[in-house]
Amino acid sequence: MTMVDTFLTALMLQAGYNAALVALGAGLLGIAAGAGGTFLFLRKRALVSDAVAHATLPGVGIAFIVMVLLGGDGRSLPGLLLGSAISATIGLLLVEWVARRTRLAEDAAIGAVLSVFFGIGIVLLTVIQTMSRGKQAGLESFLLGSTAGMLYQDAVVIAVGGGLALLAVLLLRRPMTLVAFDPEYAAARGLEVRLIDLAMMGLVLGVTVIGLKIVGLILIVAMLIIPAVTARFWTDRTEHVVLVAGALGGVSGYLGAALSASAPGIPTGPIIVLVAFGLFLLSLFLAPKRGVLAALLRHRRFQLRVHRRQGLLALAHGEAVLDPLTIRVLRRDGMIRGDLVPTEAGRARAAKALRDERRWEIARKIHQDEAIHGRYDGLTPIETVLTRDEIAEIDRRIGRPVVAGGAA
Amino acid sequence: MGHTVLELAADGGKAPAAEAGGAAALQLAEMTVSYGEKPAVFSVDARIPARSMAAIIGPNGAGKSTLLKAALGIVPRLSGKVTVFGEPFRQARHRIAYVPQRASVDWDFPTRVIDVVLMGLYRELGLLRLVRRRHREAALACLDRVGMADFAERQIGQLSGGQQQRVFLARALAQGADLYLLDEPFAGVDAATEKAIIAVLKSLKEAQKTVLCVHHDLATVIDYFDHVLLVNVRKIAEGPAATTFTADNLQATYGGRLASAHIDQLKLPA
Amino acid sequence: MMGSAFVQLSLTPILIGVLSAIACALPGNFLILRRQALIGDAISHVVLPGIVVAFLITGATASMSMLLGAAGAAVVAVLLIEAIKRLGRIEPGAAMGVAFTSMFAAGVLLLEQSDTSTVHLDVEHALMGNLESLIWFKARGWESLFDPAALAGLPPELPRIAAVALLMVLLMLVFWRPLKLSTFDEGFAGTVGVPTGLMGFALVVAAAVAAVAAFDAVGSIIVIAMFICPPAAARLMTNRLEVQILWSVVFASLSAVLGYVLAGYGPLWFGADHAVSAAGMIAAVSGVILAVACVAAPHRTRLGAPKDAG
């Protein structure tokens, strides 16, 4: 079979039970991570997940040691995940405690917890390597994830875990959306913001722990952050960001797992992250409203609008146009000649600009409401603020167009 | 470069930007600043005369601070030219002292009051020159002028809001500038501080310096300032306070936000 | 313990550990005050793709090309973070998260796809370093410190990290004033002629250089821990930046020495016969120091109001 064939086979869940379960699990996990990470991202706490993820490592080590001391195998996935959840929780609480109780900011707290916990984790791993049973423990796979040679029951744990995390997102999405969007309003509505924050962190913790085996603790952070950031380019509404991020995360997880299953050399975690990053890059540049390309075009248009307007007002006031860009714009529009003398069209447009200024002046005297004053920014055409009748009324006050050099 | 020949029935008498400048401490020509797609400041021309006490006045969100920061190059301009004492901004930068809003820095920063004031001597000290006794004495003298000499060794986080503002002013004094630009110097300070600050500013004016403040308290405008620039995204009016700080101009600047009842209570030029 | 075996086996690793810790802690002080502590985290993650790419291009594990590759990756990461922040208007934390995880993933993928297994280039090495292996073969005792032949046999990591640590000290002394000024009040700094944008970028590049040099010897865990823990603990000890820097150097050195000793000799005290990861232990000790500072340091709570978000 070619690689494409194997990829398609994996994509259709035909590449064996384990591969299918892993792909499903990765897809479900991706959805849960994308949606859960969105809440974190909107709360501007994306990198808390980095601390949580790195803080799982000592738990994995301790769980292994404890299980071996109790006479077990030490490699039981549920046991290791439980250990990781406990130490991640401690790490999370420490981040919050340091940020609240000391003068250190949250970023310092995150960095300290992640590096120190990770360091302790590494120490434990070297301890385990010296244990008689530690040689084949394979705990290093938690660093980068590994689905090669995964046991059937481990795959089930991941698929079920992914499903549970997704269920939690579905149940909690309303209150979490409210809190992420506007915590004060949410509090005023009687929501327990602290409790919901805690639930949000619990969800992130769950996703991290389940993701350990597939993508590893360093890259699970990517699954929590990248889809949320990507989704932000496509919509401004919180609920939609959650949906889009979930979809993007699911696609990345599923595609990445299938790709990895189709070629033995491709590690699952990195490929999932790179798929997500590819989607991010596409969105960064091409998204219709917030994408870079659209923003550049819009900014350029806006800049030209400002300069055109300023140039016309300068012409109207009989001032010299000095700004080189303004001169270029006016010349290109045929408003001035090469020697900076206004053309017929230029005079007419300048007169219209001046007349609009007068109209605004009157309008601001007549209408005291802020809706109108707030729009007086030099660019908003008065026609978009007042009705035709209102403008006609203003024109009556101004009187006949007393403009030299052509009618408006 | 010639003037345009177009003479419309405009509010004439405005000198072309290229000609003026001799006596102006700060001159802005067609300055536009925008955050995103909405202008925060649109095409503002201004001419702050040398040796004046000037105020930028306007409602919240009218772009007052933005105007000041854009003039200083702290936020980028979309268009416009800034001239200081007739020279391009870059060449005249050493003649300007800037007092930012108090809330723009982290007061938990590990440093002392005297160190903040010494920052005003950065130009003189440069990278490596040692802080000598005369530098310290100069800094202490500036602190003394704002009534903060006793606090020189304090950690800055221990200061009250008004004291922080005075320290910032002392730092600006240490710069020995000709033009002082202050962003909301009276915001949230106690009455004693306000008095101390205005006394210092008045002494600056007496020493032939120019002062320009972003100011929000309409009640004190006439007492404090002799030149006003009324802005609300666009320039509404500019000129001597006595002729420019009028009910009409205020109404035009503030719109519905300023009830006429409020204006009636204001101290306006006689 | 202080005899020739110590000089041969422990002196150079301890010195390299201490110098690495100091080189990272110095820029770390400013990163913490600028709320950019996690730049250190980001930089240390992208060192891996840097050295992998350098290896794929040159086909050799020459230290110099690896270092250049890592430094290049750090600069690329910083630019990428900046680009994502500005272009996408994404908050800095999330922008960092996107950039460094993606680059790390690319590094791991490249590593797995290429035949690097023969050249001792692996992820764990990147994470943990090989501090224990940086021994001084030619040393015969303390007298070797004056023996040119023995000195020529010093592990090359030592002079390298010493040079970088010295560079950090010099840079900090020369640029102390503009660095402090632009960290405290960026707007004002700009008006007196400090190139604030350049200052910020240079700081991050300096941090990257420190991270890369230290990383080679001690792995990325120590790098992150030293960027953050000693300066953070030092912040809680004093209200003067000058004093804070000194404390951070003390804490960094203490972590390195204690961590190395505990990792090497600690297990023996418990009857185990294998040492544990020195890099991990150094990070752990720095964490303990920070924890003690958090509950007992003299200046552990805020004084001034935090900076206005708006």
Side-chain angles (χ1 to χ4, degrees):
Chain A
M1 280 206 291
T2 66
M3 196 181 145
V4 177
D5 289 334
T6 34
F7 173 58
L8 289 176
T9 313
L11 206 56
M12 307 300 288
L13 301 176
Q14 304 293 315
Y17 263 139
N18 270 11
L21 277 174
V22 168
L24 271 181
L28 291 173
L29 181 72
I31 300 175
T38 303
F39 300 115
L40 214 53
F41 168 59
L42 293 176
R43 291 285 263 151
K44 296 201 181 359
R45 301 185 68 193
L47 281 178
V48 171
S49 61
D50 205 17
V52 170
H54 283 76
T56 54
L57 194 59
V60 171
I62 291 173
F64 182 89
I65 294 172
V66 167
M67 286 190 285
V68 168
L69 289 181
L70 292 177
D73 175 24
R75 282 183 295 179
S76 146
L77 188 58
L80 295 177
L81 295 189
L82 179 66
S84 71
I86 293 173
S87 72
T89 308
I90 295 172
L92 180 63
L93 293 177
L94 278 178
V95 168
E96 305 221 319
W97 183 83
V98 170
R100 227 186 15 247
R101 285 304 173 81
T102 75
R103 71 184 344 156
L104 297 172
E106 188 172 51
D107 66 328
I110 289 172
V113 164
L114 88 82
S115 58
V116 172
F117 272 64
F118 198 61
I120 295 171
I122 294 291
V123 168
L124 289 171
L125 288 193
T126 50
V127 168
I128 288 169
Q129 270 167 4
T130 65
M131 292 167 61
S132 53
R133 256 186 267 195
K135 290 269 184 260
Q136 332 81 349
L139 296 187
E140 292 78 17
S141 72
F142 283 94
L143 295 179
L144 294 173
S146 159
T147 50
M150 187 190 271
L151 296 174
Y152 172 70
Q153 57 263 41
D154 291 353
V156 172
V157 168
I158 287 165
V160 171
L164 284 177
L166 184 55
L167 192 69
V169 170
L170 289 176
L171 289 176
L172 289 169
R173 72 180 189 288
R174 264 214 192 100
M176 286 201 299
T177 306
L178 265 178
V179 170
F181 180 66
D182 186 350
E184 279 169 26
Y185 173 73
R189 287 266 310 261
L191 284 171
E192 280 288 344
V193 173
R194 229 189 113 55
L195 214 64
I196 291 161
D197 263 341
L198 218 62
M200 185 164 78
M201 286 299 166
L203 180 63
V204 167
L205 206 101
V207 168
T208 307
V209 166
I210 300 157
L212 281 186
K213 189 73 188 166
I214 305 183
V215 292
L217 63 90
I218 296 174
L219 292 178
I220 186 66
V221 180
M223 291 192 70
L224 285 161
I225 296 179
I226 300 179
V229 174
T230 308
R232 192 64 190 78
F233 284 100
W234 296 94
T235 169
D236 286 330
R237 292 185 50 190
T238 312
E239 315 93 86
H240 294 179
V241 180
V242 177
L243 284 178
V244 176
L248 288 166
V251 168
S252 313
Y254 190 73
L255 267 185
L259 270 172
S260 156
S262 61
I266 300 185
T268 323
I271 197 69
I272 291 178
V273 174
L274 289 177
V275 170
F277 184 62
L279 293 172
F280 164 76
L281 279 186
L282 281 179
S283 311
L284 172 67
F285 287 103
L286 300 180
K289 249 176 79 186
R290 291 176 53 108
V292 168
L293 226 60
L296 278 180
L297 285 175
R298 215 169 39 232
H299 181 77
R300 184 69 186 164
R301 269 203 306 271
F302 176 73
Q303 196 180 17
L304 293 180
R305 233 176 100 201
V306 167
H307 280 267
R308 182 178 298 128
R309 186 80 187 159
Q310 280 181 339
L312 286 176
L313 287 175
L315 290 185
H317 292 144
E319 291 163 14
V321 180
L322 297 172
D323 189 298
L325 181 58
T326 312
I327 293 175
R328 265 215 317 282
V329 174
L330 291 182
R331 209 178 269 168
R332 207 192 56 191
D333 294 351
M335 299 291 128
I336 53 174
R337 300 202 314 242
D339 55 1
L340 303 187
V341 173
T343 61
E344 201 58 31
R347 287 163 191 268
R349 287 285 297 278
K352 160 85 165 82
L354 192 60
R355 187 166 183 79
D356 281 350
E357 286 294 294
R358 288 277 176 74
R359 287 168 167 173
W360 268 112
E361 203 178 300
I362 307 277
R364 284 167 47 241
K365 282 212 181 95
I366 306 175
H367 301 271
Q368 289 300 334
D369 58 309
E370 284 183 34
I372 285 182
H373 283 258
R375 306 283 303 272
Y376 179 61
D377 54 15
L379 289 182
T380 310
I382 195 161
E383 289 86 354
T384 62
V385 181
L386 299 180
T387 64
R388 202 175 295 172
D389 291 344
E390 286 171 315
I391 294 177
E393 165 63 24
I394 289 171
D395 282 350
R396 224 159 33 75
R397 289 199 187 198
I398 298 175
R400 203 179 65 77
V402 284
V403 207
Chain B
M1 295 285 278
H3 308 192
T4 53
V5 292
L6 190 72
E7 287 295 337
L8 290 162
D11 52 350
K14 231 163 100 177
E19 272 183 10
L26 177 70
Q27 177 142 13
L28 309 176
E30 299 197 339
M31 194 167 79
T32 297
V33 187
S34 87
Y35 299 120
E37 304 286 307
K38 185 146 173 55
V41 171
F42 183 84
S43 199
V44 167
D45 296 297
R47 192 170 177 285
I48 308 300
R51 295 178 296 281
S52 60
M53 277 274 274
I56 304 176
I57 293 160
N60 287 332
K64 301 186 298 285
S65 290
T66 304
L67 184 77
L68 198 66
K69 287 186 192 153
L72 284 159
I74 296 173
V75 299
R77 302 187 285 265
L78 206 63
S79 76
K81 223 175 102 195
V82 180
T83 320
V84 177
F85 295 111
E87 286 181 295
F89 172 76
R90 281 190 165 279
Q91 277 142 49
R93 194 155 61 188
H94 61 282
R95 300 180 69 181
I96 304 174
Y98 168 55
V99 180
Q101 281 186 20
R102 259 186 316 124
S104 67
V105 305
D106 180 2
W107 288 94
D108 195 39
F109 194 86
T111 198
R112 294 168 310 173
V113 167
I114 184 83
D115 296 321
V116 173
V117 181
L118 282 167
M119 288 175 185
L121 295 172
Y122 176 74
R123 228 161 239 297
E124 195 183 329
L125 290 167
L127 286 184
L128 294 174
R129 221 154 293 144
L130 290 176
V131 175
R132 302 203 176 273
R133 178 195 283 263
R134 64 188 161 89
H135 296 124
R136 284 185 62 83
E137 278 169 0
L140 279 172
C142 295
L143 275 175
D144 198 37
R145 280 180 75 182
V146 297
M148 290 287 292
D150 294 343
F151 291 79
E153 300 295 320
R154 288 283 181 92
Q155 210 282 328
I156 55 170
Q158 299 171 330
L159 304 180
S160 72
Q163 290 168 335
Q164 291 171 351
Q165 192 67 58
R166 292 198 223 180
V167 171
F168 263 10
L169 181 59
R171 179 176 70 176
L173 293 175
Q175 288 181 266
D178 296 317
L179 171 61
Y180 291 81
L181 304 177
L182 299 88
D183 197 348
E184 300 267 15
F186 305 112
V189 304
D190 52 289
T193 297
E194 178 150 353
K195 245 185 178 161
I197 292 177
I198 199 67
V200 171
L201 296 184
K202 289 200 158 144
S203 75
L204 284 174
K205 181 181 151 64
E206 276 156 27
Q208 309 290 304
K209 313 284 186 192
T210 312
V211 176
L212 173 62
C213 296
V214 169
H215 191 63
H216 70 283
D217 181 11
L218 295 177
T220 50
V221 171
I222 282 299
D223 291 336
Y224 291 175
F225 300 102
D226 53 30
H227 184 92
V228 293
L229 173 62
L230 297 169
V231 291
N232 190 350
V233 181
R234 312 195 48 172
K235 182 175 84 178
I236 308 297
E238 187 194 3
T243 54
T244 313
F245 192 70
T246 60
D248 274 356
N249 280 337
L250 282 176
Q251 197 68 63
T253 309
Y254 285 79
R257 280 178 252 206
L258 199 65
S260 34
H262 187 147
I263 293 185
D264 292 343
Q265 289 166 9
L266 276 180
K267 183 165 173 187
L268 293 172
Chain C
M1 171 173 162
M2 298 307 280
S4 62
F6 171 81
V7 176
Q8 197 174 32
L9 298 177
S10 298
L11 179 64
T12 42
I14 288 182
L15 280 178
I16 291 172
V18 168
L19 291 169
S20 302
I22 292 175
C24 292
L26 289 180
N29 279 292
F30 289 95
L31 291 178
I32 289 219
L33 289 172
R34 287 166 172 252
R35 307 276 183 272
Q36 290 182 327
L38 290 167
I39 281 276
D41 179 30
I43 289 172
S44 58
H45 277 90
V46 302
V47 165
L48 176 76
I51 56 176
V52 175
V53 169
F55 172 74
L56 292 178
I57 292 173
T58 63
T61 50
S63 312
M64 210 52 219
S65 62
M66 296 277 181
L67 284 181
L68 287 179
V75 172
V76 168
V78 170
L79 295 178
L80 186 61
I81 291 167
E82 215 40 44
I84 293 174
K85 235 164 61 181
R86 299 245 173 109
L87 295 178
R89 275 171 290 157
I90 302 294
E91 53 116 356
M96 267 185 237
V98 171
F100 80 76
T101 54
S102 301
M103 286 180 70
F104 187 81
V108 174
L109 191 69
L110 279 175
L111 194 61
E112 301 278 328
Q113 291 292 293
S114 55
D115 184 27
T116 46
S117 51
T118 52
V119 292
H120 193 66
L121 181 67
D122 57 64
V123 177
E124 279 161 53
H125 175 193
L127 292 173
M128 307 183 209
N130 57 346
L131 191 55
E132 297 88 341
S133 70
L134 300 174
I135 53 182
W136 189 8
F137 277 119
K138 293 208 174 158
R140 295 285 165 270
W142 289 103
E143 65 276 11
S144 295
L145 283 174
F146 307 100
D147 176 5
L151 286 175
L154 278 172
E157 283 84 355
L158 180 59
R160 197 186 298 146
I161 190 67
V164 169
L166 186 67
L167 176 71
M168 291 302 138
V169 173
L170 286 179
L171 283 176
M172 211 181 60
L173 287 177
V174 171
F175 293 105
W176 174 260
R177 230 166 247 152
L179 200 53
K180 182 178 174 185
L181 180 47
S182 61
T183 301
F184 171 60
D185 190 344
E186 195 167 8
F188 177 83
T191 64
V192 294
V194 176
T196 50
L198 188 69
M199 245 23 246
F201 185 71
L203 173 65
V204 175
V205 171
V209 170
V212 169
F215 157 87
D216 187 38
V218 298
S220 56
I221 317 167
I222 293 198
V223 171
I224 312 174
M226 289 307 125
F227 268 130
I228 298 172
C229 293
R235 179 70 197 91
L236 307 178
M237 298 298 292
T238 171
N239 275 324
R240 295 202 43 198
L241 187 53
E242 295 80 356
V243 183
Q244 177 188 326
I245 304 272
L246 293 180
W247 272 113
S248 75
V249 170
V250 169
F251 288 149
S253 311
L254 196 64
S255 310
V257 175
L258 269 184
Y260 184 84
V261 169
L262 281 179
Y265 302 97
L268 305 181
W269 302 336
F270 290 99
D273 48 358
H274 291 274
V276 297
S277 161
M281 194 56 97
I282 293 174
V285 170
S286 74
V288 172
I289 292 176
L290 176 58
V292 172
C294 278
V295 293
H299 298 282
R300 56 185 186 278
T301 49
R302 288 193 65 90
L303 283 175
K307 185 168 162 173
D308 214 2

